[in-house]
């Protein structure tokens, strides 16, 4: 605790609150299903509440799609594919995708605020990361739509038909963009289901798509629970499944489509190693570690949740990390000063707290920031675990929260072995002054993305995806077109 209090100069310094206003946000009391270009009542007649995880207040009611509703959505997507979208010249398709991107830019502030209200992430991130990146994905793939023959020369790429797309709650709008933009660019139509806790930006996107004039049925957005997702996956008219979520559900999906002609991409969990060598720029590395695990409350599949520090700089790095932890502001997601917002749901908070208890019971040393957290809403203090080892559950399992497990290492061989000794392989980070070390590690780490002297950087032109139990298939870039095409 000594290191933390020696930093009183920083911790005593308080920012005045700077909350983003919500006056301009118009949310309906109730949202229906977006099918065939219109919002329609669910045949289930059922609705469920969606809340703000920072206040636990209800924001709206959202329709629960049953199998019949799924059938209506898939049938509308199939009709739109056969009658309109498949036949449309690629350059016309491209114009619609551009229009969606432009409209998203125009309404960026509204999207950012709703994303923070419904998901709990700090407004700084939803404003500066999620929303602009989502618009950029539409811009990027709009550019590819009429260039597929150049992207895959002599291969005659063909669209597949109807894509069933299922997304999680950690990047609701961005994941919708990652899924919808390449599907449309390649000439497919879409049925998308957002996660049960974060449906609102997807429904706002449905309004935007309706306003864009996209032909009816090309994109259908339906809300519900896991059962709704399963009904999409199992519908016989679905030609392609694109899923982002947990490894457990990914495995279920793979089983249920075995023996069908459906193509699939799975973007699943992760447990990334962030590796700090003694020749790294230490202050930048500390910022990178903080960004790697506390960005978006650690609700990031590629979060740098395992930290490996070279032994001779471990004390320095850990000391600086503890100091930096004290300065992180945990609280109102709509406050522009907030670094760590609300945990997405009560269930997720329980899961994180259970893991913190497991870490303590396993004998690791816990260190938490001395900050206070709001009494209402779902919040978790940024947490470090020191003296962890490969056999600890907090090192092996995905926590999906602001919890960092720290180990030390001596040699390059040792850290490569430890970093790869895990069922996941989505991402990793390397911090060193030596380019040769970076290239050595990038070829040996079994991870889809390896960041060097930075962390959590995304770009629509760069492919993203996993090894091992982190799934297969790539999203983003030219590679992201392939899962939506046959050759
Ligand atoms: P999840 O339970 O797997 O849910 C993901 C989505 O699948 C949700 O829309 C969910 O609906 C739906 N679903 C649930 N059961 C289903 C089933 N049997 N068939 C079809 N769909 C089903 O995961 P989560 O808890 O929402 O998200 C956290 C996980 O996602 C973490 O493990 C994280 O690593 C992973 N993730 C991976 C990436 C990546 O790019 N690799 C990105 C983000 C998140 P409901 O919400 O309505 O239950
Ligand atoms: Mg669920």
């Amino acid at each position: 605790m000594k290191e933390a209090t020696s930093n009183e100069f920083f911790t005593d310094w308080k920012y005045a609150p700077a909350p983003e206003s919500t006056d301009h946000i118009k949310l309906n009391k109730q949202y229906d299903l977006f099918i065939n270009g219109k919002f329609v009542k669910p045949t289930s007649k059922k609705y469920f509440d969606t809340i703000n995880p920072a206040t636990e207040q209800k924001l709206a009611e959202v329709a629960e799609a049953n199998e019949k509703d799924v059938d209506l959505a898939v049938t509308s997507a199939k009709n739109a594919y056969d009658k309109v979208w498949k036949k449309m010249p690629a350059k016309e398709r491209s114009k619609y995708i551009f229009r969606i991107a432009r409209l998203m830019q125009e309404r960026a502030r509204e999207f950012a605020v709703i994303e923070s209200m419904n998901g709990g992430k700090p407004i700084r991130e939803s404003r500066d990361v999620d929303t602009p990146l989502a618009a950029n994905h539409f811009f990027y793939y709009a550019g590819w739509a009429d260039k597929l023959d150049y992207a895959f020369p002599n291969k005659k790429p063909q669209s597949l038909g109807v894509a069933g797309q299922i997304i999680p709650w950690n990047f609701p709008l961005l994941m919708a963009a990652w899924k919808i933009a390449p599907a449309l660019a390649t000439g497919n139509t879409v049925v998308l289901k957002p996660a049960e806790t974060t449906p609102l930006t997807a429904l706002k996107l449905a309004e935007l798509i309706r306003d864009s004039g996209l032909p009816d049925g090309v994109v259908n957005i339906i809300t519900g629970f896991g059962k709704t997702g399963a009904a999409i996956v199992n519908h016989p008219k679905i030609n392609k499944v694109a899923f982002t979520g947990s490894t457990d559900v990914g495995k279920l999906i793979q089983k249920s489509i075995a023996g069908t002609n459906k193509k699939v991409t799975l973007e699943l969990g992760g447990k990334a190693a962030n590796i700090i060598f003694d020749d790294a720029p230490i202050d930048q590395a500390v910022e990178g570690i903080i960004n790697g695990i506390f960005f978006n409350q650690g609700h990031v599949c590629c979060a740098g949740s395992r930290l490996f520090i070279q032994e001779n700089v471990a004390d320095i790095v850990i000391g600086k990390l503890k100091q930096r932890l004290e300065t992180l502001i945990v609280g109102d997601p709509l406050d522009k000063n907030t670094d760590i917002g609300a945990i997405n749901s009560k269930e997720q908070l329980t899961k994180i707290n259970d893991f913190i208890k497991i870490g303590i019971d396993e004998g690791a040393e816990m260190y938490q920031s001395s900050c206070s957290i709001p009494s209402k809403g779902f919040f978790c203090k940024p947490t470090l675990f020191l003296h962890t080892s490969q056999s600890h559950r907090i090192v092996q399992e995905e926590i999906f929260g602001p919890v960092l497990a720290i180990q030390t290492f001596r040699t390059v061989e040792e850290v490569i072995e430890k970093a790869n000794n895990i069922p996941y392989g989505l991402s990793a980070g390397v911090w060193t002054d030596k380019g040769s070390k970076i290239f050595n590690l990038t070829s040996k780490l079994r991870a889809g993305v390896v960041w060097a002297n930075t962390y959590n950087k995304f770009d629509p032109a760069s492919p993203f995806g996993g090894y091992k139990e982190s799934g297969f298939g790539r999203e983003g870039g030219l590679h992201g077109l392939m899962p939506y095409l046959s050759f």
Side-chain angles (χ1 to χ4, degrees):
M1 293 300 281
K2 233 185 160 49
E3 293 90 332
T5 45
S6 70
N7 199 28
E8 274 159 8
F9 173 75
F10 294 105
T11 49
D12 286 353
W13 213 75
K14 293 264 184 301
Y15 288 93
E20 177 77 28
S21 99
T22 55
D23 302 350
H24 61 296
I25 300 303
K26 280 191 219 80
L27 287 175
N28 301 341
K29 279 210 166 77
Q30 198 176 66
Y31 283 91
D32 292 320
L33 305 170
F34 184 65
I35 298 177
N36 208 24
K38 285 158 214 71
F39 282 93
V40 297
K41 300 250 169 256
T43 62
S44 72
K45 299 198 168 65
K46 285 191 201 155
Y47 291 84
F48 58 97
D49 290 350
T50 189
I51 65 161
N52 180 336
T55 61
E56 299 176 50
Q57 271 161 3
K58 175 173 163 180
L59 294 171
E61 269 172 26
V62 174
E64 180 184 337
N66 63 14
E67 269 186 45
K68 193 149 178 241
D69 298 308
V70 169
D71 182 54
L72 289 171
V74 177
T75 304
S76 117
K78 177 78 175 110
N79 286 338
Y81 177 72
D82 288 336
K83 298 192 179 125
V84 185
W85 202 239
K86 184 169 73 171
K87 298 181 188 158
M88 188 180 284
K91 72 174 197 304
E92 297 304 318
R93 278 206 317 266
S94 170
K95 287 181 196 166
Y96 284 109
I97 309 172
F98 265 116
R99 200 177 298 161
I100 293 170
R102 288 294 305 274
L103 285 171
M104 193 175 281
Q105 274 188 327
E106 279 170 25
R107 299 188 197 171
R109 185 153 162 244
E110 187 188 356
F111 274 102
V113 173
I114 296 173
E115 196 74 316
S116 284
M117 287 168 74
N118 200 195
K121 65 175 66 195
I123 185 71
R124 241 175 30 218
E125 279 164 23
S126 46
R127 182 195 64 193
D128 298 348
V129 182
D130 298 60
T131 315
L133 260 180
N136 284 349
H137 267 268
F138 282 104
F139 277 123
Y140 176 78
Y141 280 112
W144 272 124
D146 61 350
K147 301 174 193 69
L148 298 178
D149 289 331
Y150 301 94
F152 309 104
N154 306 320
K155 287 203 169 156
K156 297 208 176 354
Q158 304 289 318
S159 56
L160 301 173
V162 182
Q165 308 185 318
I166 297 158
I167 56 173
W169 41 260
N170 57 343
F171 290 91
L173 180 67
L174 185 60
M175 288 301 120
W178 278 29
K179 297 277 179 281
I180 296 173
L184 297 186
T186 46
N188 299 282
T189 59
V190 166
V191 176
L192 174 117
K193 187 197 93 68
E196 61 192 76
T197 56
T198 52
L200 291 181
T201 44
L203 290 161
K204 279 277 152 190
L205 177 61
E207 289 177 1
L208 182 155
I209 285 172
R210 179 196 58 195
D211 300 347
S212 76
L214 187 77
D216 292 346
V218 172
V219 172
N220 304 273
I221 296 181
I222 58 175
T223 43
F225 302 96
K227 263 197 312 200
T228 315
I232 296 174
V233 170
N234 294 321
H235 195 288
K237 287 192 193 130
I238 290 285
N239 304 99
K240 145 93 194 161
V241 176
F243 173 78
T244 297
S246 60
T247 297
D248 288 346
V249 175
K251 286 179 180 172
L252 276 177
I253 290 178
Q254 233 185 330
K255 274 190 202 139
S256 66
I257 62 163
T260 71
N261 272 337
K262 293 174 188 173
K263 273 192 144 196
V264 66
T265 38
L266 301 174
E267 302 276 359
L268 309 175
K271 189 82 183 175
N274 208 356
I275 302 169
I276 319 294
F277 285 98
D278 59 2
D279 59 0
I282 299 289
D283 288 332
Q284 282 99 311
V286 167
E287 265 323 289
I289 299 164
I290 295 281
N291 172 39
I293 182 63
F294 300 126
F295 172 62
N296 199 21
Q297 298 70 249
H299 296 338
V300 186
C301 46
C302 49
S305 50
R306 291 182 296 151
L307 175 62
F308 292 94
I309 316 173
Q310 199 154 24
E311 201 175 77
N312 52 331
V313 290
D315 288 347
I316 302 173
V317 173
I318 291 167
K320 284 179 185 271
L321 262 181
K322 286 178 174 175
Q323 283 184 0
R324 184 67 179 91
L325 218 62
E326 285 297 313
T327 64
L328 291 175
I329 300 172
V330 184
D332 180 7
L334 288 175
D335 191 320
K336 295 176 201 87
N337 297 318
T338 295
D339 298 301
I340 301 183
I343 300 299
N344 183 260
S345 65
K346 197 172 181 186
E347 291 70 39
Q348 189 59 25
L349 181 59
T350 307
K351 184 182 156 194
I352 297 167
N353 285 333
D354 287 349
F355 266 111
I356 291 178
K357 192 167 173 303
I358 289 167
I360 295 168
D361 292 345
E362 283 178 325
E365 182 188 322
M366 186 188 69
Y367 180 90
Q368 281 187 324
S369 156
S370 63
C371 67
S372 60
I373 54 175
S375 53
K376 207 143 178 70
F378 315 129
F379 290 90
C380 179
K381 290 186 181 188
T383 304
L384 309 178
F385 273 107
L386 308 167
H387 309 301
T388 65
S389 73
Q390 288 293 112
S391 60
H392 284 163
R393 284 186 61 193
I394 52 167
V395 169
Q396 288 292 327
E397 295 177 36
E398 185 179 49
I399 302 174
F400 225 59
V403 181
L404 179 63
I406 305 177
Q407 297 183 69
T408 59
F409 69 94
R410 288 185 183 169
T411 65
V412 176
E413 294 69 32
E414 178 192 351
V415 78
I416 291 172
E417 198 158 314
K418 282 181 169 169
N420 286 338
N421 178 15
I422 192 115
Y424 297 110
L426 193 57
S427 60
V430 180
W431 298 80
T432 169
D433 196 30
K434 296 265 184 312
S436 56
K437 251 187 223 164
I438 291 170
F439 287 117
N440 182 24
L441 265 87
T442 45
S443 58
K444 292 188 181 138
L445 291 171
R446 309 310 284 163
V449 181
V450 183
W451 284 291
N453 295 327
T454 187
Y455 207 90
N456 275 339
K457 289 278 180 287
F458 303 95
D459 189 277
S462 169
F464 183 89
Y467 276 85
K468 301 191 275 187
E469 293 204 2
S470 292
F472 49 80
R474 294 292 176 263
E475 290 183 300
L478 188 99
H479 301 72
L481 294 164
M482 287 194 247
Y484 290 96
L485 293 166
S486 65
F487 298 97

